[in-house]
Amino acid sequence: MAAAPVDPAKTAGTIAVVIDSNAMWHQWRLTGRSWDELRNLVVHGRIDLYVPEVVVQEVVRGRHHDANDLVRDLVEVKLSRIEQLLKLGLPTKRQDLTTLVQNLVADYETELRDRLNELGALLIPVPTVSHQVVLTRALAGRKPFDSVGHDGYRDVLIWHSLLDIAADGYAGVVFVTNNTSDFCTGRPAALLPALLDELADVSPTIVAAVAQSVNEVGARVEDLERRVAAEADQNQQPAAEQATVERPGEDIVSDALAACVDVIVLKMEPPTPGRWGLNMSEGWQFLTILEEDPVDVVVIGLDYATLAYAPEDGDWTEFTASVRAKVTLDGFAFKGDVYADDGRTEVDIRDADWNDHYMHVWEHHDATLTFRLTLNADGTAIEECWLDSAEPTEAPS
């Protein structure tokens, strides 16, 4: 879906997320938990997701090159011997293998565009920046060109795509890129100062952040939302009288946690717009034998007797709640890891022979969960509730 003209009234409090090519590299299908969480941010209206047309074409080219590299690598390690040993059904002649692989990726561009549409992404057309502007930039060796202005043409087009979106009036922008040579620097990464100046020229009040991978986007969006809200508070005149928001009742908090669990486990619709479900920048912090993706959570049993909650700096409009829980993760584990685990993790085998190498398992964890919650203005209801972190609970000695 191509990006349409944006209504400034709808972008004033919204974050734009712009994806660079390297965020998709070797994630050709754009599947897994991180991409699903990105789509949830779009669905709940917290972000507008953009992918430059330049990026789409670059990723399609990269997918085809990756396929050709696969053929070359297989041939170099003696394709005929691999087939003889593993019986994978691969053709043993290079030309036949090349044809097979090319057929597999022939429709990749269509598949990629369809997947981006499923994620709610908007395509930014190739920018109309003039040749003179690009030439001046190259001759001056300004980033994202290299110092002599030879390399970086596609990066320049991607950068101008981002500037076009920033000019639409967004409160903030997250650039998802791991290009630490041409776009960003430092740990955590931030846009190069010269690029920040350019961004300020097109949108003086916009706040910006860099996510070096898709799984960092949620945390960066939350950071920007806080910064935008804090700036809005500073710009508002203090009210003559401001009601104090009191500590919410335990029943209100418990109901919100239960609703959040239903969003995570049962995929139910959130009770209100805003942040609900999973929003963990660090993922599940458990000792695990599961492969990273795909991992799904099938049970979260909260022990409400252990519930504790406290405000942020004495302000109950946003607060944290911690509670112990039994968490069950669904995923796939290498057979050797299951047999070698020695009881360190509690595992139920769902399918011992899912394929030659993996089992389908459920993995059980005693956990301490930390949720973040926001209250409405008068403190009578929870507006948002999301799972912020999950750490193992040590068994009592």
Side-chain angles (χ1 to χ4, degrees), residues 267-290:
K267 314 302 182 189
M268 293 183 65
E269 285 295 315
T272 64
R275 291 168 287 185
W276 289 85
L278 286 174
N279 192 12
M280 300 188 296
S281 60
E282 302 297 329
W284 303 100
Q285 297 296 293
F286 303 144
L287 177 67
T288 179
I289 59 174
L290 297 178

Side-chain angles (χ1 to χ4, degrees), residues 66-332:
D66 186 58
N68 292 333
D69 291 344
L70 172 65
V71 172
R72 182 201 63 209
D73 293 344
L74 287 172
V75 170
E76 286 181 357
V77 296
K78 304 294 185 185
L79 179 61
S80 58
R81 292 187 62 190
I82 292 176
E83 178 57 28
Q84 186 177 12
L85 287 169
L86 300 180
K87 307 295 184 184
L88 299 176
L90 295 173
T92 56
K93 293 183 178 179
R94 178 169 186 159
Q95 184 55 52
D96 293 340
L97 179 64
T98 300
T99 300
L100 172 64
V101 171
Q102 287 177 344
N103 288 339
L104 290 174
V105 299
D107 296 326
Y108 177 68
E109 181 171 356
T110 299
E111 294 167 2
L112 176 61
R113 292 181 185 275
D114 288 345
R115 178 55 180 156
L116 289 172
N117 190 49
E118 290 173 0
L119 292 170
L122 301 169
L123 297 183
I124 311 172
V126 177
T128 57
V129 57
S130 72
H131 292 297
Q132 184 60 57
V133 169
V134 175
L135 177 60
T136 301
R137 190 177 202 115
L139 293 176
R142 285 169 42 211
K143 293 295 186 182
F145 274 117
D146 62 11
S147 59
V148 292
H150 288 170
D151 297 326
Y153 175 71
R154 292 193 300 273
D155 287 336
V156 167
L157 295 182
I158 292 169
W159 175 245
H160 278 275
S161 298
L162 184 147
L163 292 178
D164 287 346
I165 294 305
D168 282 333
Y170 284 95
V173 60
V174 177
F175 190 22
V176 189
T177 182
N178 196 30
N179 185 343
T180 54
S181 299
D182 305 312
F183 286 126
C184 56
T185 186
R187 296 181 67 87
L191 283 174
L192 295 169
L195 298 183
L196 279 173
D197 289 343
E198 288 187 37
L199 191 59
D201 287 341
V202 301
S203 181
T205 61
I206 198 168
V207 291
V210 170
Q212 291 188 270
S213 63
V214 172
N215 62 9
E216 292 182 7
V217 170
R220 299 296 172 267
V221 168
E222 184 173 337
D223 290 342
L224 291 193
E225 287 172 336
R226 292 179 188 279
R227 289 168 60 185
V228 170
E231 206 149 305
D233 289 343
Q234 288 179 357
N235 293 334
Q236 288 178 349
Q237 294 296 324
E241 293 183 6
Q242 195 168 33
T244 301
V245 177
E246 297 182 352
R247 183 180 190 272
E250 193 167 311
D251 56 339
I252 294 177
V253 177
S254 298
D255 288 347
L257 298 190
C260 184
V261 168
D262 286 343
V263 171
I264 296 170
V265 176
L266 303 179
K267 314 302 182 189
M268 293 183 65
E269 285 295 315
T272 64
R275 291 168 287 185
W276 289 85
L278 286 174
N279 192 12
M280 300 188 296
S281 60
E282 302 297 329
W284 303 100
Q285 297 296 293
F286 303 144
L287 177 67
T288 179
I289 59 174
L290 297 178
E291 294 296 302
E292 182 178 352
D293 263 338
V295 172
D296 200 8
V297 56
V298 292
V299 175
I300 298 179
L302 301 179
D303 180 2
Y304 291 104
T306 65
L307 175 62
Y309 50 102
E312 292 277 322
D313 300 322
D315 182 2
W316 281 103
T317 54
E318 182 165 329
F319 62 100
T320 59
S322 65
V323 63
R324 292 190 176 187
K326 191 76 170 183
V327 175
T328 300
L329 301 179
D330 176 287
F332 299 93

Side-chain angles (χ1 to χ4, degrees), residues 32-50:
R33 186 184 65 210
S34 298
W35 292 98
D36 290 341
E37 290 176 356
L38 193 64
R39 181 179 182 277
N40 286 337
L41 292 173
V42 176
V43 170
H44 298 314
R46 293 176 61 193
I47 67 168
D48 285 341
L49 177 62
Y50 290 98

